[in-house]
Amino acid sequence: MPGPDPSRRVRLAVALFFAALLAAPLVYKRIETREKATQSAGVLSRYGFRFTESSKAAGIHFKHVSPKLDAKLHHIMPQVASMGAAVSIVDFDRDGWPDIYVTNSGEGTRNALYRNMHDGTFQDVASDVGLADLNAAGTGVSMGAVWGDYDNDGFDDVLVYKWGRPELFHNDGGKRFTRVTETAGLPPWVNANTAVWLDYDGDGKLDLFLGGYYPEDIDLWHLKTTKIMPESFEYAQNGGRKYLFHNLGNGRFEEVSAKLGIASRRWSLASVAADLRGTGFPDLFVANDYGVSELYLNEGGKRFREAGKETGIGFAPKSGMSAAVGDVFNQGRFGIYVSNISEEGVLVQGNNFWVPQPGATKTTIHFENMANSLGLELGGWSFGVQFGDLNNDGFEDLYVTNGDVSLDPNRSYWYDYSKVAGGNKAIISDAANWPPVDGRSLSGYQQKKVFVNDGSGQFREVAQLVGVTDVYDGRSVAIADFQNRGVLDAVVANQNGPLLLYRNTVQPGNNWIEFELEGQTSNRSAIGAQVRAFWNGQEQLQEVSGGSGFCAQNDRRLHFGLGKASRVDRVEIRWPSGKTQTIAAPELNRIHPVKEPS
Amino acid sequence: MKLENRYLPPLLITAILLVSQVSFGVLESFSRTLLAIATAMLCELLLARLFYHKWPVLASAYITGISVGILIRSPEYWPFALTSAIAITSKYVIRWRGRHLWNPSNFAICAMLLIAPEYIATLSIQWGNAIWPMLVVWVLGAVITWRVKRFHITATYVASFIALAFVRTLITGHPFLAEVAPITGPMYQLFIFFMITDPKTTVRSVRGQCVVAFFVAVAEMLFRLAHNVDAPYYALTCVGPVAMLLDVKVERPG
């Protein structure tokens, strides 16, 4: 740049400005650290809850084992065989106490069904009821399970989805489970990582969405080729197909995905169904690894229309791992939280929280990612997420578990992983081109995230402060009030790790209310029923879910924290059948069983 | 013709960005990239006025801003503005005998990776999964660097990278394609067409430029063997100023 020499004063001023620029991140970091340090005192009084890991005391001694896939994948086995630890909550015997089903994934390992013994302990009864032996060689291994009463007999049935043969079991009165896979008409092999029960057409019978990860023609134990990997790290469309099974009644299902407009081969890892627009029909959100998420808008129960781009969520591809819906502002509308990957200095995708913008109608809805402004963005290599009011203050909080592969803590696979991740389709899609993991960690030993909602649009991350201190490779999180005491506990399934039960202690003084719904015209599990609680000018929306998070399902019972409110004005229930019901001033601090009016 | 050539690189990088965003939605958001561009141009305007009392040509600042906007990834807004500001300011602060030593965006990205790794990462993935967009960018980039007489730098670097990928394969035992894979990504397209060819931060002789490109590739190999995911940035940051200092020394001994 020609011209006169600048004065010494100008040079000095610009040099100081330059130094200030370089120092800015360090100052920012220091302020953040100082803020966190001042928060550590008086956790219970400050945040209103504290978790205590209590699995052993509760009689839970479950350890997940990863599968051993084809030897052609031996060099990257820890990375590819890194899923399958899953947990779902169900009251399978209808005794009024939530039970826990947890999947294992080693060949020949057994799944567990922990019956709630009502005294704070659990007992594994999976073998007794016929739900343990699901990982036999040749049939694939379990990836997750979702519960729903598909035949409306009053007992929740279970779909166990696998990298392998999906299995549907009928619940015989809470005493035994009968395998009904063939009668139901399920496909012989799906490499699935997500499933969700939903009644998409409102006919009172639960339908089923099943999302493939690897293509369904791949048997991961008998590979014909090593070209099975995603064709791109963020634009892959060579994954497994999607299935939508329409419940025909009589225990039979018809596959209708193509007919109804669901045709995708993205690598699905999570799905959640919820009525996002108030149409009375559930929309379907699918979080995909190696690509953008998809939002299937339900058009009157007759077909689905993929509206990712139209609604704003279909841009900026990331690594969708998990999805859950929550009404964090108490405005009576759902946002969708999607977990992704963030690794310091390597890949900072950030998690997404898609919040519907004002002016949404039944035909038009647009979302904006507000994870950053709410403080919900960074969660490491995030997997399972769930919303729930953990301190009963009247606002939903968020639990995020994380960590991919924890092996040698001092050696990282990230560099070699990033080499192929940036490579062209011809390179990345062939497992033979992937450098060996060689005992190294990939975002291992990560600290978990518990985000507390302060009620004014900000979340504060407090996991270490409230007792969530494990560093296992977390996969699946589910939330339930296991002791029927108005407090949400958390269960976490860890890959190659133990099942953890985080028992919650909530500071006394906050009120709560819970609803256990049972459909009559609607599906009996009441999946899809929406409950709005109104108190002190607040309006919180929750929906009974047939699966959410990563390979998880919360208890179907809905829990509302109420803070210091001494009264709930009313509760409005909209059943999947379209019927509405209002309960005026329901009694606080108790569980309300509610039957759909006939 | 000279004027046309000056605007070719900005036009190319803009075309790459627009096509990639429209086709694949590569950016977290346009707003972050625009913030990076605006900050770079604003800093350039202010500093050029302050230093030289002239209105500068903003093509170079535009390339810096857009490079920053594409190459860094962060969910936050401030790193985009800060990186651009550091980049442009570095040109005015870190100088030797009237020449700046580092490619501005390269320097700023390295600085941010060192001081704020928890907030930013660099672009490390493909845009799309088809080979044709990559070929289009490579061909266009090659034509334009040829026209601005910088193609020999790009060619030397690419040839060196591929040869040294083979050397790395021998050392690590990893597949050759895994070692070559990074250069097929969009980050390298920006690196080889815009960063290492930056006229202001390359040495004067053609032979010298080729030698420097080779040494950048060698330094990158060393960083890669040390498992550094941002190897090319650090390599250029290390080799670039040494080459510039030597060049200045040769130009004006004493």
Side-chain angles (χ1 to χ4, degrees):
Chain A
M1 177 78 56
D5 270 351
S7 71
R8 184 171 286 185
R9 190 179 295 176
V10 168
R11 279 184 187 283
L12 185 64
V14 174
L16 285 173
F17 174 65
F18 184 59
L21 289 175
L22 291 172
L26 303 172
V27 173
Y28 182 68
K29 217 180 303 181
R30 201 177 174 127
I31 292 169
E32 266 195 342
T33 311
R34 194 176 299 168
E35 268 183 12
K36 277 192 179 162
T38 59
Q39 292 159 11
S40 55
V43 169
L44 195 58
S45 59
R46 181 178 290 269
Y47 302 115
F49 73 111
R50 186 176 56 219
F51 280 121
T52 308
E53 204 290 300
S54 312
S55 54
K56 287 191 174 56
I60 295 173
H61 303 277
F62 182 91
K63 186 172 184 303
H64 176 265
V65 177
S66 290
K68 289 187 176 59
L69 309 175
D70 190 296
K72 295 185 192 74
L73 302 175
H74 176 73
H75 62 300
I76 52 171
M77 193 68 76
Q79 165 59 10
V80 289
S82 62
M83 290 181 279
V87 61
S88 50
I89 310 300
V90 62
D91 179 8
F92 79 94
D93 51 3
R94 295 200 63 187
D95 63 353
W97 297 73
D99 312 300
I100 304 168
Y101 187 63
V102 53
T103 59
N104 215 329
S105 313
E107 297 78 0
T109 58
R110 301 171 87 77
N111 298 348
L113 176 60
Y114 286 101
R115 170 184 272 153
N116 191 326
M117 304 307 288
H118 312 176
D119 59 358
T121 67
F122 293 82
Q123 191 174 6
D124 181 12
V125 297
S127 297
D128 304 335
V129 302
L131 284 183
D133 191 13
L134 279 158
N135 305 311
T139 69
V141 297
S142 302
M143 286 290 130
V146 281
W147 298 78
D149 185 2
Y150 74 81
D151 61 348
N152 292 327
D153 67 351
F155 288 88
D156 279 352
D157 314 296
V158 62
L159 174 89
V160 181
Y161 50 95
K162 304 164 69 173
W163 285 355
R165 190 175 66 196
E167 301 283 19
L168 182 63
F169 288 90
H170 179 262
N171 185 340
D172 305 333
K175 293 181 171 57
R176 286 284 306 171
F177 285 81
T178 303
R179 186 173 169 274
V180 293
T181 305
E182 276 80 21
T183 317
L186 297 184
W189 195 277
V190 184
N191 295 306
N193 273 100
T194 183
V196 62
W197 290 105
L198 72 167
D199 182 4
Y200 73 83
D201 55 354
D203 65 355
K205 297 190 292 284
L206 280 177
D207 311 303
L208 179 67
F209 173 79
L210 182 63
Y213 190 65
Y214 288 96
E216 59 283 356
D217 58 354
I218 291 176
D219 177 345
L220 289 160
W221 287 262
H222 303 94
L223 293 180
K224 295 180 186 128
T225 172
T226 51
K227 291 177 181 166
I228 61 160
M229 305 303 277
E231 60 191 350
S232 164
F233 194 71
E234 295 193 335
Y235 298 90
Q237 297 198 52
N238 62 337
R241 62 163 288 191
K242 313 295 163 264
Y243 300 82
L244 182 62
F245 296 103
H246 180 226
N247 190 338
L248 301 172
N250 302 322
R252 291 179 304 113
F253 291 81
E254 179 193 6
E255 206 290 304
V256 295
S257 59
K259 200 159 75 180
L260 268 66
I262 299 177
S264 162
R265 280 202 170 270
R266 295 190 186 276
W267 294 64
S268 302
L269 276 185
S271 52
V272 61
D275 180 3
L276 301 169
R277 300 168 293 153
T279 61
F281 293 93
D283 304 306
L284 180 65
F285 183 92
V286 182
N288 298 305
D289 199 0
Y290 309 116
V292 292
S293 297
E294 293 164 313
L295 176 57
Y296 292 96
L297 298 180
N298 190 328
E299 298 190 321
K302 294 187 169 51
R303 59 177 284 112
F304 285 93
R305 180 167 55 86
E306 206 289 299
K309 286 202 163 64
E310 172 189 323
T311 55
I313 61 111
F315 298 97
K318 296 183 180 179
S319 307
M321 299 276 156
S322 180
V325 297
D327 176 13
V328 303
F329 303 114
N330 286 352
Q331 292 179 339
R333 55 186 186 157
F334 289 129
I336 310 162
Y337 191 81
V338 184
S339 60
N340 300 299
I341 301 173
S342 292
E343 172 70 16
E344 191 173 296
V346 183
L347 181 66
V348 188
Q349 292 181 332
N351 296 342
N352 293 344
F353 185 47
W354 297 108
V355 177
Q357 295 307 286
T361 67
K362 289 181 181 179
T363 51
T364 315
I365 189 165
H366 197 271
F367 294 89
E368 195 144 310
N369 178 16
M370 293 185 65
N372 181 254
S373 54
L374 295 179
L376 288 171
E377 192 140 45
L378 296 178
W381 188 309
S382 304
F383 268 97
V385 301
Q386 297 293 358
F387 285 102
D389 189 347
L390 301 174
N391 53 8
N392 285 344
D393 67 349
F395 294 94
E396 289 193 309
D397 311 300
L398 181 69
Y399 194 118
V400 179
T401 192
N402 59 18
D404 192 41
V405 177
S406 295
L407 293 171
D408 185 338
N410 300 314
R411 295 190 305 134
S412 170
Y413 181 58
W414 258 111
Y415 166 73
D416 282 328
Y417 188 57
S418 70
K419 275 196 302 197
V420 286
N424 185 259
K425 173 182 180 177
I427 297 170
I428 188 176
S429 62
D430 189 345
N433 293 328
W434 288 50
V437 172
D438 191 24
R440 291 173 288 177
S441 293
L442 185 64
S443 290
Y445 306 99
Q446 294 202 322
Q447 294 188 341
K448 312 310 162 201
K449 308 292 176 186
V450 176
F451 296 98
V452 175
N453 185 344
D454 71 2
S456 64
Q458 279 298 306
F459 284 77
R460 195 174 289 277
E461 201 289 296
V462 299
Q464 302 305 306
L465 302 175
V466 300
V468 177
T469 54
D470 76 273
V471 289
Y472 294 109
D473 293 330
R475 290 294 175 273
S476 182
V477 182
I479 282 176
D481 175 7
F482 286 114
Q483 294 297 105
N484 293 345
R485 61 198 167 121
V487 170
L488 291 178
D489 306 306
V491 196
V492 185
N494 297 294
Q495 191 76 9
N496 279 323
L499 183 74
L500 300 179
L501 171 61
Y502 277 106
R503 189 88 73 193
N504 193 355
T505 303
V506 173
Q507 192 175 28
N510 283 346
N511 294 314
W512 57 274
I513 194 165
E514 292 183 7
F515 297 94
E516 187 157 358
L517 306 187
E518 183 178 330
Q520 303 239 63
T521 314
S522 305
N523 71 84
R524 203 148 168 191
S525 299
I527 288 171
Q530 290 197 335
V531 177
R532 287 172 199 270
F534 296 84
W535 78 96
N536 282 359
Q538 307 289 326
E539 176 192 351
Q540 190 176 112
L541 172 65
Q542 293 190 33
E543 182 167 326
V544 180
S545 175
S548 71
F550 174 77
C551 297
Q553 186 175 14
N554 292 334
D555 190 10
R556 286 194 288 100
R557 190 193 297 163
L558 301 180
H559 169 99
F560 293 82
L562 300 168
K564 306 293 180 206
S566 57
R567 181 176 191 275
V568 167
D569 302 328
R570 69 184 189 283
V571 166
E572 293 177 358
I573 303 171
R574 200 204 61 206
W575 296 87
S577 64
K579 287 179 187 161
T580 56
Q581 182 178 359
T582 301
I583 304 171
E587 188 184 338
L588 304 191
N589 301 325
R590 58 162 290 209
I591 300 164
H592 294 261
V594 183
K595 264 195 178 178
E596 182 180 14
S598 49
Chain B
M1 179 61 78
K2 202 172 180 184
L3 189 64
E4 280 177 16
N5 281 350
R6 179 197 290 179
Y7 289 108
L8 280 176
L11 284 174
L12 173 65
I13 199 168
T14 306
I16 291 175
L17 176 71
L18 289 176
V19 170
S20 306
Q21 177 66 5
V22 170
S23 310
F24 308 114
V26 295
L27 300 175
E28 173 77 19
S29 67
F30 262 125
S31 51
R32 287 177 176 83
T33 303
L34 289 175
L35 177 65
I37 295 169
T39 308
M41 292 171 83
L42 187 66
C43 282
E44 183 86 309
L45 278 174
L46 291 174
L47 292 171
R49 287 298 301 170
L50 208 55
F51 268 64
Y52 306 116
H53 313 296
K54 284 192 169 184
W55 294 112
V57 174
L58 291 174
S60 159
Y62 176 75
I63 289 185
T64 299
I66 205 168
S67 298
V68 166
I70 296 172
L71 287 174
I72 71 165
R73 291 266 160 147
S74 174
E76 311 258 5
Y77 276 87
W78 63 264
F80 290 85
L82 185 61
T83 310
S84 282
I86 290 173
I88 299 300
T89 314
S90 76
K91 288 199 300 186
Y92 292 85
V93 173
I94 310 173
R95 301 178 74 86
W96 178 252
R97 295 187 180 174
R99 292 171 71 174
H100 57 270
L101 302 178
W102 274 283
N103 171 278
S105 48
N106 177 250
F107 174 86
I109 288 169
C110 285
M112 288 294 282
L113 286 169
L114 287 172
I115 59 181
E118 57 274 69
Y119 303 111
I120 73 153
T122 55
L123 178 66
S124 59
I125 43 86
Q126 278 288 344
W127 288 350
N129 47 32
I131 204 154
W132 65 263
M134 186 179 86
L135 289 177
V136 168
V137 174
W138 278 78
V139 169
L140 267 178
V143 168
I144 287 171
T145 48
W146 181 273
R147 280 197 61 175
V148 296
K149 298 185 173 56
R150 285 284 184 282
F151 181 70
H152 53 280
I153 301 176
T154 300
T156 305
Y157 176 81
V158 172
S160 305
F161 182 95
I162 292 170
L164 292 170
F166 183 69
V167 174
R168 290 203 308 274
T169 297
L170 296 178
I171 295 170
T172 63
H174 294 171
F176 175 65
L177 285 178
E179 298 297 346
V180 169
I183 207 168
T184 65
M187 186 273 275
Y188 269 87
Q189 290 160 7
L190 298 177
F191 185 72
I192 63 174
F193 291 127
F194 301 105
M195 270 194 189
I196 59 171
T197 59
D198 176 12
K200 299 278 180 160
T201 51
T202 45
V203 297
R204 287 162 303 146
S205 74
V206 168
R207 185 179 294 178
Q209 289 166 354
C210 292
V211 170
V212 172
F214 171 73
F215 275 108
V216 170
V218 170
E220 186 192 342
M221 180 183 80
L222 298 176
F223 278 111
R224 286 196 169 278
L225 289 174
H227 288 186
N228 189 310
V229 293
D230 299 303
Y233 301 107
Y234 287 120
L236 183 57
T237 292
C238 291
V239 173
V242 174
M244 290 299 289
L245 286 170
L246 287 174
D247 198 45
V248 172
K249 197 85 179 160
V250 170
E251 184 188 28
R252 282 185 280 167

